Amino acid sequence: MSIEAVSTPDRDLLRPWRYLWRVPLLLVHIVLGIMLCGFILTWHRNGVMKNGREPFTHRMIRAWSTGLMRIFGLRSVRVGQPLRDPVLFVANHTSWIDIELLHSQRAACFVAKAEIASWPLVGWLAASGGTIFHRRGSNHSLAAVMQVMVERLRAGRSVAVFPEGGTGHNGVLKVFHARIFQAALDAEVPVQPVALRFVRDGKRQIDAGFRDHENFLQNFLRMLGGAPMDAEVHFLEPVPASPEGRRRMADLSRERIAAALEDRQ
């Protein structure tokens, strides 16, 4: 069934009231995140799944991310099942919240832009969670990132990437970069596309992520005061290693994500 895609109205009389209780909860949750990184992840950050069972650290990451989503008024909804570690997850990208959305369902090492590493507190939290930082536009950085991805995958960790290379706006799904899929081929692990979509009252919200010319702080504050909605994580049919190479794998992943964004199962 097709779902109508709409933009969120700017006028929301309840927004100021949501800030009153969400901001204090967010501050407490950040303190919990610092404790999680400082006392748990530092002890066992390299834990891997065994016999399909998540390590304790992964469950803590999922719990913290789920709590963060709830503070922002987002109910994380899983559709389909993620593969067992290790796997390369490839997802569409709308904003910073996508990382927490996927983490609420499955802990993974994300590939993120290098600028995040220098952000106060956020960079430290991301690094503690196993984020792999990439300097966009640098072939040397990409080669190093690819090497780390392969090492993590071979060690039994899952890795998550946004192959669009940046955030899309207004529901537009950009072309997927194919080179990033080489890591899955080299590590001999499956690729599972993941569609991330936001729904309120049965309608897809195409501007839940970054709007045109909106920076991180503006998006953060807008989402923090936004009305509740569902945040869906669609784990789709895995993409097989293709004899036609990584370009075909990228195109097929994009096709499956595009279909999931438009239709509700």
Side-chain angles (χ1 to χ4, degrees), residues 8 12 15 18 22 72-74 200 222-223 225-229:
T8 303
D12 184 354
R15 178 176 293 272
R18 296 192 192 102
R22 288 181 180 177
F72 277 79
L74 300 173
R200 180 184 293 122
R222 178 169 62 84
M223 296 192 72
M229 60 180 167

Side-chain angles (χ1 to χ4, degrees), residues 195-247:
L196 308 177
R197 68 199 302 270
F198 300 88
V199 176
R200 180 184 293 122
D201 299 327
K203 298 178 180 180
R204 180 186 172 202
Q205 303 296 304
I206 62 174
D207 65 345
F210 282 115
R211 294 176 177 176
D212 290 327
H213 309 298
E214 186 178 51
N215 61 35
F216 170 79
L217 181 59
Q218 291 170 331
N219 178 265
F220 184 93
L221 293 175
R222 178 169 62 84
M223 296 192 72
L224 182 59
M229 60 180 167
D230 287 343
E232 300 177 348
V233 186
H234 294 249
F235 290 98
L236 307 174
E237 181 182 354
V239 173
S242 173
E244 301 174 31
R246 59 197 189 194
R247 180 70 264 166

